[in-house]
Short mmCIF file of all heavy atoms in Angstrom, two decimals:
data_model
loop_
_atom_site.label_atom_id
_atom_site.label_comp_id
_atom_site.label_asym_id
_atom_site.label_seq_id
_atom_site.Cartn_x
_atom_site.Cartn_y
_atom_site.Cartn_z
N TYR A 55 121.40 132.24 79.24
CA TYR A 55 122.32 133.03 78.42
C TYR A 55 122.60 132.36 77.08
O TYR A 55 122.92 133.04 76.10
CB TYR A 55 123.61 133.31 79.19
CG TYR A 55 123.43 134.42 80.22
CD1 TYR A 55 123.04 134.13 81.53
CD2 TYR A 55 123.60 135.74 79.89
CE1 TYR A 55 122.84 135.13 82.47
CE2 TYR A 55 123.42 136.75 80.81
CZ TYR A 55 123.04 136.45 82.09
OH TYR A 55 122.84 137.45 83.00
N GLU A 56 122.47 131.05 77.03
CA GLU A 56 122.58 130.33 75.75
C GLU A 56 121.29 130.50 74.95
O GLU A 56 121.33 130.71 73.73
CB GLU A 56 122.86 128.84 75.99
CG GLU A 56 124.27 128.54 76.49
CD GLU A 56 125.34 128.98 75.50
OE1 GLU A 56 125.17 128.69 74.28
OE2 GLU A 56 126.31 129.61 75.92
N ASP A 57 120.15 130.42 75.63
CA ASP A 57 118.86 130.58 74.96
C ASP A 57 118.73 131.97 74.33
O ASP A 57 118.08 132.14 73.29
CB ASP A 57 117.72 130.37 75.95
CG ASP A 57 117.66 128.94 76.48
OD1 ASP A 57 118.27 128.06 75.85
OD2 ASP A 57 117.03 128.72 77.54
N ALA A 58 119.36 132.96 74.96
CA ALA A 58 119.25 134.34 74.47
C ALA A 58 119.85 134.50 73.08
O ALA A 58 119.48 135.42 72.34
CB ALA A 58 119.95 135.29 75.44
N LYS A 59 120.74 133.60 72.70
CA LYS A 59 121.40 133.71 71.39
C LYS A 59 120.44 133.42 70.23
O LYS A 59 120.74 133.74 69.09
CB LYS A 59 122.60 132.77 71.33
CG LYS A 59 123.69 133.11 72.35
CD LYS A 59 124.80 132.08 72.33
CE LYS A 59 125.87 132.39 73.39
NZ LYS A 59 126.94 131.35 73.42
N ALA A 60 119.30 132.77 70.51
CA ALA A 60 118.36 132.39 69.45
C ALA A 60 117.49 133.56 68.99
O ALA A 60 116.81 133.47 67.97
CB ALA A 60 117.47 131.24 69.92
N PHE A 61 117.50 134.65 69.75
CA PHE A 61 116.65 135.80 69.42
C PHE A 61 117.39 137.07 69.76
O PHE A 61 117.90 137.22 70.88
CB PHE A 61 115.35 135.72 70.21
CG PHE A 61 114.38 136.87 69.97
CD1 PHE A 61 113.36 136.74 69.04
CD2 PHE A 61 114.49 138.06 70.67
CE1 PHE A 61 112.47 137.78 68.81
CE2 PHE A 61 113.60 139.10 70.46
CZ PHE A 61 112.58 138.96 69.52
N THR A 62 117.45 137.97 68.81
CA THR A 62 118.07 139.27 69.06
C THR A 62 116.99 140.35 68.99
O THR A 62 116.26 140.43 67.98
CB THR A 62 119.18 139.58 68.04
OG1 THR A 62 120.21 138.58 68.15
CG2 THR A 62 119.79 140.95 68.31
N TYR A 63 116.89 141.12 70.04
CA TYR A 63 115.92 142.20 70.08
C TYR A 63 116.56 143.46 69.53
O TYR A 63 117.65 143.86 69.96
CB TYR A 63 115.45 142.43 71.52
CG TYR A 63 114.37 143.49 71.64
CD1 TYR A 63 113.05 143.19 71.33
CD2 TYR A 63 114.69 144.78 72.04
CE1 TYR A 63 112.06 144.16 71.43
CE2 TYR A 63 113.71 145.75 72.13
CZ TYR A 63 112.40 145.43 71.83
OH TYR A 63 111.42 146.40 71.91
N TYR A 64 115.90 144.11 68.59
CA TYR A 64 116.40 145.34 67.98
C TYR A 64 115.53 146.51 68.46
O TYR A 64 114.44 146.75 67.90
CB TYR A 64 116.36 145.25 66.46
CG TYR A 64 117.28 144.19 65.88
CD1 TYR A 64 116.82 142.90 65.63
CD2 TYR A 64 118.61 144.48 65.59
CE1 TYR A 64 117.66 141.92 65.11
CE2 TYR A 64 119.47 143.52 65.07
CZ TYR A 64 118.97 142.24 64.83
OH TYR A 64 119.82 141.28 64.32
N PRO A 65 115.96 147.22 69.48
CA PRO A 65 115.12 148.29 70.04
C PRO A 65 114.82 149.39 69.04
O PRO A 65 113.78 150.06 69.14
CB PRO A 65 115.96 148.82 71.22
CG PRO A 65 117.35 148.35 70.96
CD PRO A 65 117.24 147.08 70.21
N GLU A 66 115.71 149.59 68.05
CA GLU A 66 115.46 150.65 67.07
C GLU A 66 114.27 150.32 66.17
O GLU A 66 113.71 151.21 65.52
CB GLU A 66 116.71 150.89 66.22
CG GLU A 66 117.12 149.74 65.31
CD GLU A 66 117.99 148.70 65.99
OE1 GLU A 66 118.09 148.74 67.24
OE2 GLU A 66 118.57 147.86 65.28
N ARG A 67 113.84 149.08 66.12
CA ARG A 67 112.72 148.69 65.26
C ARG A 67 111.37 148.94 65.91
O ARG A 67 110.44 149.43 65.26
CB ARG A 67 112.84 147.21 64.87
CG ARG A 67 114.05 146.91 63.99
CD ARG A 67 114.14 145.42 63.66
NE ARG A 67 115.35 145.12 62.88
CZ ARG A 67 115.73 143.89 62.54
NH1 ARG A 67 115.01 142.84 62.89
NH2 ARG A 67 116.84 143.72 61.83
N THR A 68 111.23 148.58 67.17
CA THR A 68 109.92 148.73 67.84
C THR A 68 109.99 149.40 69.20
O THR A 68 108.95 149.55 69.85
CB THR A 68 109.25 147.34 68.02
OG1 THR A 68 110.11 146.52 68.82
CG2 THR A 68 109.01 146.66 66.68
N GLY A 69 111.19 149.78 69.62
CA GLY A 69 111.31 150.38 70.96
C GLY A 69 110.42 151.59 71.14
O GLY A 69 109.83 151.79 72.21
N GLN A 70 110.29 152.42 70.08
CA GLN A 70 109.45 153.61 70.17
C GLN A 70 107.96 153.28 70.09
O GLN A 70 107.11 154.14 70.33
CB GLN A 70 109.79 154.58 69.03
CG GLN A 70 111.22 155.05 68.99
CD GLN A 70 111.47 155.93 67.78
OE1 GLN A 70 110.87 157.00 67.65
NE2 GLN A 70 112.33 155.50 66.88
N LEU A 71 107.67 152.01 69.73
CA LEU A 71 106.28 151.64 69.45
C LEU A 71 105.65 150.81 70.56
O LEU A 71 104.56 150.26 70.37
CB LEU A 71 106.23 150.86 68.12
CG LEU A 71 106.77 151.61 66.90
CD1 LEU A 71 106.77 150.71 65.68
CD2 LEU A 71 105.96 152.87 66.64
N PHE A 72 106.31 150.71 71.71
CA PHE A 72 105.78 149.91 72.81
C PHE A 72 104.41 150.42 73.23
O PHE A 72 103.44 149.66 73.34
CB PHE A 72 106.76 149.94 73.98
CG PHE A 72 106.59 148.80 74.95
CD1 PHE A 72 107.15 147.56 74.67
CD2 PHE A 72 105.90 148.96 76.13
CE1 PHE A 72 107.02 146.50 75.57
CE2 PHE A 72 105.76 147.92 77.04
CZ PHE A 72 106.33 146.69 76.75
N ASN A 73 104.31 151.73 73.47
CA ASN A 73 103.01 152.30 73.86
C ASN A 73 102.04 152.34 72.69
O ASN A 73 100.82 152.31 72.90
CB ASN A 73 103.21 153.70 74.43
CG ASN A 73 103.73 153.66 75.86
OD1 ASN A 73 103.43 152.75 76.61
ND2 ASN A 73 104.54 154.65 76.22
N VAL A 74 102.56 152.40 71.48
CA VAL A 74 101.69 152.35 70.30
C VAL A 74 100.99 151.00 70.24
O VAL A 74 99.80 150.91 69.92
CB VAL A 74 102.50 152.61 69.01
CG1 VAL A 74 101.65 152.34 67.77
CG2 VAL A 74 103.02 154.04 69.00
N LEU A 75 101.74 149.91 70.52
CA LEU A 75 101.13 148.59 70.54
C LEU A 75 99.99 148.53 71.55
O LEU A 75 98.92 147.99 71.27
CB LEU A 75 102.18 147.53 70.88
CG LEU A 75 103.01 146.99 69.71
CD1 LEU A 75 104.11 146.06 70.22
CD2 LEU A 75 102.12 146.25 68.71
N ARG A 76 100.22 149.09 72.72
CA ARG A 76 99.16 149.13 73.73
C ARG A 76 97.93 149.88 73.19
O ARG A 76 96.79 149.45 73.34
CB ARG A 76 99.67 149.82 74.99
CG ARG A 76 100.56 148.96 75.87
CD ARG A 76 101.11 149.75 77.03
NE ARG A 76 101.64 148.87 78.06
CZ ARG A 76 102.52 149.24 78.99
NH1 ARG A 76 102.96 150.49 79.02
NH2 ARG A 76 102.95 148.38 79.89
N PHE A 77 98.21 151.01 72.58
CA PHE A 77 97.14 151.87 72.05
C PHE A 77 96.36 151.15 70.95
O PHE A 77 95.13 151.16 70.93
CB PHE A 77 97.76 153.17 71.52
CG PHE A 77 96.77 154.24 71.19
CD1 PHE A 77 96.33 155.11 72.17
CD2 PHE A 77 96.30 154.41 69.89
CE1 PHE A 77 95.42 156.12 71.87
CE2 PHE A 77 95.39 155.40 69.58
CZ PHE A 77 94.95 156.27 70.57
N LEU A 78 97.09 150.50 70.03
CA LEU A 78 96.44 149.83 68.91
C LEU A 78 95.66 148.59 69.36
O LEU A 78 94.56 148.33 68.85
CB LEU A 78 97.48 149.44 67.86
CG LEU A 78 98.12 150.61 67.09
CD1 LEU A 78 99.10 150.09 66.05
CD2 LEU A 78 97.05 151.46 66.41
N VAL A 79 96.22 147.82 70.28
CA VAL A 79 95.50 146.64 70.75
C VAL A 79 94.22 147.06 71.46
O VAL A 79 93.17 146.41 71.32
CB VAL A 79 96.39 145.79 71.69
CG1 VAL A 79 95.58 144.67 72.33
CG2 VAL A 79 97.56 145.19 70.91
N LYS A 80 94.28 148.18 72.16
CA LYS A 80 93.06 148.67 72.83
C LYS A 80 91.99 149.04 71.82
O LYS A 80 90.83 148.63 71.95
CB LYS A 80 93.40 149.87 73.71
CG LYS A 80 92.18 150.42 74.45
CD LYS A 80 92.57 151.58 75.35
CE LYS A 80 91.34 152.10 76.10
NZ LYS A 80 91.69 153.22 77.01
N THR A 81 92.37 149.83 70.80
CA THR A 81 91.37 150.30 69.84
C THR A 81 90.97 149.23 68.84
O THR A 81 89.80 149.16 68.44
CB THR A 81 91.91 151.53 69.08
OG1 THR A 81 93.16 151.19 68.45
CG2 THR A 81 92.14 152.69 70.04
N MET A 82 91.92 148.40 68.45
CA MET A 82 91.67 147.39 67.42
C MET A 82 91.02 146.13 67.97
O MET A 82 90.22 145.49 67.31
CB MET A 82 93.01 147.03 66.76
CG MET A 82 92.94 146.01 65.65
SD MET A 82 94.56 145.79 64.85
CE MET A 82 95.49 145.00 66.16
N CYS A 83 91.37 145.80 69.24
CA CYS A 83 90.94 144.51 69.80
C CYS A 83 90.06 144.65 71.04
O CYS A 83 88.94 144.15 71.07
CB CYS A 83 92.17 143.67 70.14
SG CYS A 83 93.27 143.36 68.73
N VAL A 84 90.56 145.31 72.07
CA VAL A 84 89.85 145.34 73.36
C VAL A 84 88.50 146.05 73.23
O VAL A 84 87.46 145.52 73.64
CB VAL A 84 90.72 146.02 74.44
CG1 VAL A 84 89.95 146.09 75.77
CG2 VAL A 84 92.03 145.26 74.64
N GLU A 85 88.51 147.25 72.65
CA GLU A 85 87.27 148.04 72.55
C GLU A 85 86.30 147.46 71.52
O GLU A 85 85.10 147.79 71.54
CB GLU A 85 87.60 149.49 72.18
CG GLU A 85 88.43 150.22 73.22
CD GLU A 85 87.69 150.42 74.54
OE1 GLU A 85 86.44 150.36 74.53
OE2 GLU A 85 88.36 150.62 75.57
N ASN A 86 86.80 146.64 70.61
CA ASN A 86 85.96 146.07 69.56
C ASN A 86 85.92 144.54 69.62
O ASN A 86 85.72 143.89 68.60
CB ASN A 86 86.48 146.50 68.18
CG ASN A 86 86.15 147.93 67.85
OD1 ASN A 86 85.00 148.34 67.94
ND2 ASN A 86 87.16 148.71 67.49
N HIS A 87 86.09 143.99 70.81
CA HIS A 87 86.27 142.54 70.89
C HIS A 87 85.01 141.78 70.44
O HIS A 87 85.12 140.74 69.78
CB HIS A 87 86.67 142.13 72.31
CG HIS A 87 87.32 140.79 72.35
ND1 HIS A 87 87.08 139.86 73.34
CD2 HIS A 87 88.21 140.20 71.51
CE1 HIS A 87 87.79 138.77 73.11
NE2 HIS A 87 88.49 138.95 72.02
N ASP A 88 83.85 142.26 70.79
CA ASP A 88 82.62 141.57 70.38
C ASP A 88 82.49 141.54 68.86
O ASP A 88 82.23 140.48 68.26
CB ASP A 88 81.39 142.24 71.00
CG ASP A 88 81.30 142.00 72.50
OD1 ASP A 88 81.95 141.05 72.98
OD2 ASP A 88 80.59 142.76 73.17
N GLU A 89 82.66 142.70 68.22
CA GLU A 89 82.56 142.77 66.76
C GLU A 89 83.67 141.96 66.10
O GLU A 89 83.43 141.30 65.07
CB GLU A 89 82.64 144.23 66.30
CG GLU A 89 81.43 145.07 66.65
CD GLU A 89 81.48 145.64 68.06
OE1 GLU A 89 82.46 145.33 68.80
OE2 GLU A 89 80.56 146.36 68.44
N GLN A 90 84.85 142.01 66.68
CA GLN A 90 85.98 141.27 66.11
C GLN A 90 85.73 139.76 66.17
O GLN A 90 85.94 139.04 65.19
CB GLN A 90 87.25 141.62 66.90
CG GLN A 90 88.52 141.00 66.36
CD GLN A 90 89.69 141.23 67.31
OE1 GLN A 90 89.65 140.85 68.48
NE2 GLN A 90 90.74 141.87 66.80
N ARG A 91 85.26 139.28 67.32
CA ARG A 91 85.00 137.84 67.48
C ARG A 91 83.88 137.38 66.55
O ARG A 91 83.95 136.29 65.95
CB ARG A 91 84.63 137.53 68.92
CG ARG A 91 85.78 137.65 69.91
CD ARG A 91 85.34 137.23 71.30
NE ARG A 91 84.97 135.81 71.33
CZ ARG A 91 84.35 135.24 72.35
NH1 ARG A 91 84.02 135.94 73.41
NH2 ARG A 91 84.06 133.95 72.31
N GLN A 92 82.83 138.18 66.45
CA GLN A 92 81.71 137.80 65.59
C GLN A 92 82.13 137.72 64.13
O GLN A 92 81.76 136.78 63.40
CB GLN A 92 80.57 138.82 65.76
CG GLN A 92 79.88 138.74 67.11
CD GLN A 92 79.01 139.94 67.40
OE1 GLN A 92 78.77 140.77 66.53
NE2 GLN A 92 78.53 140.05 68.64
N ALA A 93 82.94 138.69 63.69
CA ALA A 93 83.42 138.67 62.31
C ALA A 93 84.33 137.47 62.06
O ALA A 93 84.20 136.78 61.04
CB ALA A 93 84.15 139.98 62.00
N TRP A 94 85.23 137.23 63.00
CA TRP A 94 86.17 136.11 62.85
C TRP A 94 85.42 134.77 62.84
O TRP A 94 85.77 133.86 62.07
CB TRP A 94 87.19 136.16 63.96
CG TRP A 94 88.26 135.11 63.93
CD1 TRP A 94 88.54 134.18 64.89
CD2 TRP A 94 89.22 134.89 62.88
NE1 TRP A 94 89.60 133.41 64.52
CE2 TRP A 94 90.04 133.80 63.28
CE3 TRP A 94 89.45 135.48 61.65
CZ2 TRP A 94 91.08 133.31 62.50
CZ3 TRP A 94 90.49 135.00 60.86
CH2 TRP A 94 91.29 133.93 61.29
N GLU A 95 84.41 134.64 63.67
CA GLU A 95 83.63 133.40 63.70
C GLU A 95 82.97 133.15 62.35
O GLU A 95 83.00 132.03 61.82
CB GLU A 95 82.57 133.48 64.79
CG GLU A 95 81.69 132.23 64.88
CD GLU A 95 80.64 132.32 65.97
OE1 GLU A 95 80.54 133.38 66.64
OE2 GLU A 95 79.91 131.33 66.15
#
């Protein structure tokens, strides 16, 4: 409960975007992981 004071979660900022994050990570990273890794390397 003391540790919780170091970070405040604001649901109005990203609460609606929880499933969007899943969707974007899938399309941006998971489905393109080979191309992403090769480019980053």
